[in-house]
Amino acid sequence: MLKIGLLGVGAIGRTIAKAIDEKQINARLVGLSDQEPALARDLSATLASRPPVVALEEMIDMSDVAVEAASQAALAEFVPKALARGRDMLIMSVGGLLGHEDWFRQAEEKGCKIYVPSGAIAGLDGIKSASVGKIEAAELTSRKPVAALRGSKYVVDRGIQLESLTEETVIFEGPAEQAARAFPATSNVAASLRLAVEPTSPVCVRIVAVPDGSENVHEIRVRGEFGRLWVRVENVPSKSNPRTSQLAAFAAIATLKNLTQALRVGT
Ligand SMILES: NC(=O)c1ccc[n+]([C@@H]2O[C@H](COP(=O)([O-])OP(=O)(O)OC[C@H]3O[C@@H](n4cnc5c(N)ncnc54)[C@H](O)[C@@H]3O)[C@@H](O)[C@H]2O)c1
C-alpha cells in the first residue's frame, strides 16, 4: 500500500489526512510533520490510524510520496531533503517551485517525481495538451475577496487600503512569476499555470480585489494553435483558511488517488 507522509496540517493537510483515514485513498498515512508539532498531535488524535508526529527528515524517510501542504518558505528545506532521498513528492505551495528549475533536473537524475495538482483551478489538462502546439497568449484573472488578500506582503508594502475599496479593483497585473512572489499564499494557481505551458510562452496574471466578495474566482483564457479556451472556477473558500479554496485540497486528494488507481482519466 502507498505510504504517504504529510508536511503541514492546516486547511489542506487536514483534509488530505482525513481522506486517507476514511480510506478514500488506498494508502497509509505514515507520518505527520509541522512547524507546530502540537497541531500535528491534535490532528493525529482525531485519526483512526494515529500517525506518528515526526521531524521532516523522518517523515520523508518513511514515505513513498511526501506531501507538502505547508508554505512556500517550507519548500526550501522540503524539496532538497526529498530530492536527496530520491523521494516522490506532491507540492501544494507551487509558487515556491518557480525559479528552481534545477530541482526538476535533479528529480530527473534521481528518478523521482514532483506532482503538482491542479489546485484551485481547472483546465490544466487541456492547457497541457494545447501546449504541445504553439500558445499565443495565456491569461489568469483571479478575483479575491478582501478577506483573502488582507495582510499580503504586496498589499502591505504598497499601502493598498483594501477596506476603502467600493468596487472591484485590479491591484496587480504582471507575469505569473511576479504574481507568485508578490502573493505567496494566494497565487499558487498562477505558478501552476506557468508550469503547465512552455517556458517561452508568457503567462499574464491579474489580481482583482472584490469588496464584499465571498468566493475565489479564477478565469483562465488561452489562445493558440489549438484554438481558444476559457475556464472559470468559482471557489468556495476553506472554512479554516479563507485564502485557500476547498477545491485545492480536493485536487491533492484526486492526484493521490490517481497514483493508486489503474484507470486515469484526463491528460
Ligand atoms: N496549489 C494551489 O492551488 C493552492 C491552493 C491553496 C493553497 N495552496 C498553498 O498550500 C499551502 C497550504 O495551504 P493551507 O491552506 O493548508 O495553509 P494553512 O496555513 O492552513 O496550514 C499550513 C500548515 O503548515 C505549517 N507550516 C507552514 N510553514 C511551515 C514550515 N516552514 N515548516 C513546517 N510547517 C509549516 C503551518 O504550521 C500550518 O499548520 C500554502 O502554501 C498555500 O498557499 C495552494
Side-chain angles (χ1 to χ4, degrees):
M1 201 184 263
L2 188 76
K3 290 180 280 181
I4 296 175
L6 184 58
L7 174 67
V9 298
I12 294 178
R14 279 198 301 273
T15 310
I16 296 172
K18 289 202 172 108
I20 300 172
D21 208 53
E22 289 165 2
K23 305 199 185 330
Q24 289 180 47
I25 305 169
N26 187 20
R28 202 151 58 81
L29 187 57
V30 291
L32 301 175
S33 191
D34 198 288
Q35 65 187 3
E36 297 197 38
L39 292 178
R41 282 195 291 275
D42 288 351
L43 173 64
S44 179
T46 67
L47 302 173
S49 64
R50 298 281 193 278
V53 176
V54 293
L56 174 61
E57 294 81 353
E58 204 181 332
M59 181 278 276
I60 296 172
D61 281 336
M62 296 160 102
S63 318
D64 297 321
V65 181
V67 173
E68 177 281 327
S71 60
Q72 281 194 25
L75 284 199
E77 196 187 354
F78 174 85
V79 177
K81 287 188 168 156
L83 284 172
R85 291 160 173 81
R87 217 44 106 235
D88 290 347
M89 56 197 114
L90 182 151
I91 303 290
M92 290 309 296
S93 307
V94 193
L97 291 175
L98 298 187
H100 283 286
E101 287 70 23
D102 53 314
W103 287 345
F104 308 153
R105 276 193 299 277
Q106 288 175 46
E108 296 267 354
E109 284 162 20
K110 291 274 189 178
C112 56
K113 304 269 194 306
I114 302 176
Y115 300 109
V116 174
S118 302
I121 49 173
L124 290 186
D125 51 351
I127 294 168
K128 274 164 57 190
S129 306
S131 296
V132 172
K134 188 173 163 27
I135 298 285
E136 284 145 18
E139 288 172 18
L140 166 72
T141 300
S142 296
R143 290 190 166 75
K144 292 173 182 293
V146 159
L149 293 164
R150 205 175 278 133
S152 304
K153 188 169 180 317
Y154 181 89
V155 168
V156 173
D157 287 354
R158 281 171 179 66
I160 299 170
Q161 299 298 317
L162 292 171
E163 313 304 333
S164 58
L165 299 180
T166 52
E167 56 186 33
E168 287 195 6
T169 307
V170 177
I171 60 165
F172 173 91
E173 194 158 10
E177 293 82 346
Q178 211 177 315
R181 273 196 305 276
F183 297 90
T186 53
S187 281
N188 292 292
V189 291
S192 304
L193 180 60
R194 169 70 278 170
L195 292 172
V197 302
E198 289 299 310
T200 46
S201 309
V203 174
C204 178
V205 176
R206 207 171 292 116
I207 295 178
V208 184
V210 182
D212 305 325
S214 60
E215 294 183 331
N216 293 305
V217 179
H218 299 294
E219 278 176 12
I220 299 174
R221 284 173 198 274
V222 180
R223 201 177 68 235
E225 192 183 331
F226 73 100
R228 290 167 305 283
L229 172 152
W230 177 66
V231 180
R232 177 180 165 103
V233 187
E234 300 175 354
N235 278 304
V236 174
S238 144
K239 286 191 186 70
S240 56
N241 184 350
R243 291 186 160 83
T244 286
S245 301
Q246 193 61 49
L247 187 65
F250 293 169
I253 293 166
T255 300
L256 292 169
K257 276 178 142 178
N258 249 341
L259 300 181
T260 62
Q261 290 175 340
L263 175 66
R264 290 196 196 186
V265 180
T267 307

